[in-house]
């Protein structure tokens, strides 16, 4: 069991770097780790998607809010492996269920939405910084990053809704 915030930070760092020594703690203060981390991911992925979408559609906000969106994207991308691994541990401790299996399968894909959001947040922030300094940016690059940002933000949000809904069904039934 994790008893304090410093232990939680160590857990997150170990999970992200892949060098967990032994199993991940199953609980934090008596509450299963998975739902705690998952709720952060469920909130932050759509929030980052909204930030990426806003920066894509309102270029003057790229340099102003870019660092905040990038930092949040880094945090959520680091939390995804913790959510996945703690979910796998929780799954092993529960009776077999098609709903839990479906949720686990969907949950394994969240990183494929979080990483592109992070990359696009960095790209948008970088484009904003260049524009702020008057450095030239090819028009096609702005269009490409904007279109990709819109598509990825929508896809990542839809994916998060599907994963979250399947998790709610697995816990609470349909």
């Amino acid at each position: 069991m994790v008893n304090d915030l410093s232990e939680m930070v160590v857990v997150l760092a170990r999970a992200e770097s892949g060098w967990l020594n032994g199993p991940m703690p199953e609980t934090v203060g008596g509450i299963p780790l998975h739902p705690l981390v998952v709720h952060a991911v469920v909130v932050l992925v759509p929030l980052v998607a909204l930030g990426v979408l806003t920066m894509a559609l309102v270029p003057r906000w790229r340099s102003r809010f870019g660092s905040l969106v990038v930092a949040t994207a880094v945090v959520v991308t680091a939390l995804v492996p913790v959510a996945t691994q703690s979910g796998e541990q929780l799954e092993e401790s529960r009776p077999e269920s098609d709903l839990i299996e479906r949720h686990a399968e969907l949950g394994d894909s969240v990183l494929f939405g979080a990483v592109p959001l992070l990359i696009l947040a960095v790209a948008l922030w970088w484009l904003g910084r260049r524009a702020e300094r008057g450095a030239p940016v090819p028009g096609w690059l702005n269009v490409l990053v904007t279109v990709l940002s819109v598509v990825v933000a929508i896809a990542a949000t839809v994916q998060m809704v599907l994963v979250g809904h399947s998790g709610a069904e697995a816990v609470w039934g349909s």
Side-chain angles (χ1 to χ4, degrees):
M1 176 159 72
V2 177
N3 292 320
D4 65 348
L5 183 59
S6 63
E7 287 182 41
M8 185 67 170
V9 171
V10 170
V11 166
L12 294 175
R14 286 180 176 170
E16 179 59 19
S17 66
W19 56 270
L20 276 170
N21 294 330
M24 181 175 291
E26 291 183 26
T27 62
V28 175
I31 300 170
L33 178 63
H34 182 67
L36 294 174
V37 177
V38 163
H39 283 93
V41 173
V42 166
V43 169
L44 292 177
V45 167
L47 192 60
V48 169
L50 181 61
V52 165
L53 188 61
T54 302
M55 289 194 316
L57 299 176
V58 186
R60 70 180 180 276
W61 290 355
R62 291 176 180 176
S63 61
R64 179 181 291 174
F65 298 109
S67 57
L68 177 63
V69 175
V70 168
T72 307
V74 167
V75 168
V76 76
T77 302
L79 287 174
V80 169
V82 177
T84 304
Q85 188 170 357
S86 63
E88 289 171 2
Q89 278 187 310
L90 189 59
E91 180 183 14
E92 291 171 8
S93 71
R94 301 290 184 253
E96 217 168 290
S97 159
D98 289 341
L99 291 174
I100 292 174
E101 187 60 35
R102 169 108 173 103
H103 175 64
E105 288 173 8
L106 288 171
D108 286 340
S109 68
V110 173
L111 199 57
F112 297 114
V115 170
L117 278 175
L118 173 58
I119 292 167
L120 288 164
V122 170
L124 288 164
W125 173 78
W126 177 79
L127 288 170
R129 298 284 297 175
R130 287 189 60 84
E132 190 177 69
R133 290 181 288 199
V137 175
W140 65 266
L141 184 58
N142 261 321
V143 171
L144 177 66
V145 172
T146 298
V147 169
L148 285 174
S149 295
V150 170
V151 170
V152 168
I154 292 168
T157 301
V158 168
Q159 174 191 38
M160 197 74 265
V161 168
L162 293 173
V163 173
H165 182 68
S166 70
E169 283 185 324
V171 171
W172 303 106
S174 47

